[in-house]
């Protein structure tokens, strides 16, 4: 009897989606429906609620690492693998879309302040963290801009290999990165600093110059590489 109750509920939820689309579903209900396909004989709504409560939103659940997902009570290895697959599938599709998200703009780089103004305009009103790559030709004119990744209010990640791929695609050798802190100041985290230095070294090995990494916060902007140079000169 329990299975018939669950089956009837699942069909009702599917009917709602078929009729009105995903906008008719809350984050928890959408996640519940997604979990139908990996947990076939249980009520997935309580688990979906725990996941949303733990991570804050559907986007954050799908962006969580397998290690983070495993900390949620009742979430088994098969479900973790399934959501990780969904996340990576989305990233692959997003990478294809990013190839179309190229925005040549009239801008010439003269100083880090130019980048600060550019990223401030692009990211200061964005409610979630985004990471952008901008590519410059040898005359320091902006040729391409790529959205590297989107996260939540507190975190964004991207594949460093995409930086190499996009810079080469743009036929440029100079680039810069910017990301935002929607609810915090522009002070870079230690991870921001260390990953920037690692990326700079990796790009140098590919003949690509990372000119700057700008962090946009609710108090302005910070240039990570400029700060590192200033620190070394002290």
């Amino acid at each position: 009897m329990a299975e018939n109750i669950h089956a009837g509920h699942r069909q009702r939820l599917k009917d709602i989606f078929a009729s009105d689309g995903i906008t008719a579903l809350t984050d928890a209900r959408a996640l519940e429906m997604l979990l139908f396909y990996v947990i076939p004989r249980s009520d997935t709504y309580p688990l979906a609620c725990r996941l949303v409560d733990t991570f804050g939103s559907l986007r954050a659940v799908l962006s969580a690492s397998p290690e983070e997902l495993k900390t949620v009570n009742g979430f088994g290895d098969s479900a973790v693998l399934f959501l990780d697959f969904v996340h990576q599938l989305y990233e692959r599709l997003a990478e294809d879309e990013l190839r179309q998200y190229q925005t040549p703009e009239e801008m010439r780089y003269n100083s880090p302040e130019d980048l600060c103004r550019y990223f401030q305009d692009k990211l200061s009103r964005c409610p979630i963290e985004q990471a952008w790559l901008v590519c410059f030709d040898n005359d320091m004119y902006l040729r391409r801009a790529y959205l590297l990744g989107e996260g939540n209010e507190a975190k964004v990640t991207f594949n460093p290999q995409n930086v190499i791929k996009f810079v080469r695609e743009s036929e440029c050798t100079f680039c810069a990165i910017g990301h935002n802190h929607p609810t915090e100041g522009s002070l870079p985290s230690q991870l921001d600093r260390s990953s920037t230095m690692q990326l700079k070294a990796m790009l140098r090995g590919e003949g690509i110059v990372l000119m700057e990494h700008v962090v946009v916060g609710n108090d302005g902007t910070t240039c990570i590489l400029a700060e590192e140079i200033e620190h070394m000169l002290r």
Side-chain angles (χ1 to χ4, degrees):
M1 179 65 69
E3 286 188 24
N4 290 336
I5 292 173
H6 291 154
H9 169 69
R10 290 185 175 199
Q11 188 58 53
R12 286 191 293 274
L13 200 57
K14 290 176 182 178
D15 290 343
I16 291 172
F17 171 73
S19 173
D20 302 317
I22 200 167
T23 56
L25 304 178
T26 64
D27 280 4
R29 289 299 185 188
L31 187 56
E32 174 194 11
M33 184 171 170
L34 183 63
L35 292 174
F36 287 173
Y37 301 97
V38 70
I39 305 176
R41 298 184 182 277
S42 298
D43 181 2
T44 58
Y45 184 62
L47 177 55
C49 288
R50 285 200 297 276
L51 286 164
V52 172
D53 288 344
T54 298
F55 296 102
S57 68
L58 177 60
R59 177 190 291 274
V61 172
L62 295 180
S63 299
S65 69
E67 292 73 22
E68 291 172 323
L69 292 171
K70 288 177 182 178
T71 65
V72 177
N73 183 41
F75 206 55
D77 290 342
S78 294
V80 168
L81 184 65
F82 177 71
L83 285 197
D84 189 39
F85 175 78
V86 171
H87 173 61
Q88 293 194 37
L89 181 64
Y90 169 80
E91 284 194 330
R92 177 178 289 187
L93 295 174
E95 284 182 17
D96 291 340
E97 291 179 4
L98 292 180
R99 291 182 174 276
Q100 309 302 318
Y101 209 116
Q102 303 170 5
T103 55
E105 300 176 39
E106 286 297 323
M107 173 193 168
R108 187 177 187 184
Y109 176 85
N110 294 293
S111 70
E113 286 73 24
D114 295 329
L115 288 173
C116 289
R117 284 191 294 271
Y118 176 87
F119 285 119
Q120 179 85 25
D121 289 344
K122 184 176 289 292
L123 294 171
S124 62
R125 291 174 295 279
C126 185
I128 60 173
E129 285 204 18
Q130 292 184 340
W132 283 81
L133 168 73
V134 288
C135 304
F136 294 85
D137 63 19
N138 291 339
D139 295 320
M140 291 294 116
Y141 282 101
L142 176 60
R143 293 308 180 199
R144 297 284 175 87
Y146 297 89
L147 178 61
L148 288 173
E150 288 187 319
N152 53 36
E153 290 184 355
K155 181 176 69 173
V156 63
T157 60
F158 61 86
N159 185 348
Q161 293 298 323
N162 283 341
V163 178
I164 297 174
K165 178 169 64 178
F166 292 151
V167 172
R168 286 178 173 166
E169 184 179 278
S170 70
E171 300 182 344
C172 295
T173 54
F174 299 93
C175 67
I177 290 174
H179 85 275
N180 61 317
H181 293 167
T183 60
E184 300 177 0
S186 62
L187 182 67
S189 68
Q190 187 54 47
L191 180 59
D192 289 337
R193 297 179 190 278
S194 61
S195 60
T196 298
M197 301 311 291
Q198 291 169 7
L199 179 61
K200 181 179 180 180
M202 183 187 77
L203 294 178
R204 186 189 304 120
E206 300 291 331
I208 299 169
V209 178
L210 178 64
M211 298 188 297
E212 191 53 85
H213 182 171
V214 177
V215 182
V216 178
N218 54 24
D219 61 350
T221 59
T222 297
C223 294
I224 292 179
L225 293 180
E227 276 205 346
E228 290 296 318
I229 293 174
E230 182 179 342
H231 177 74
M232 288 187 292
L233 294 176
R234 289 175 185 171

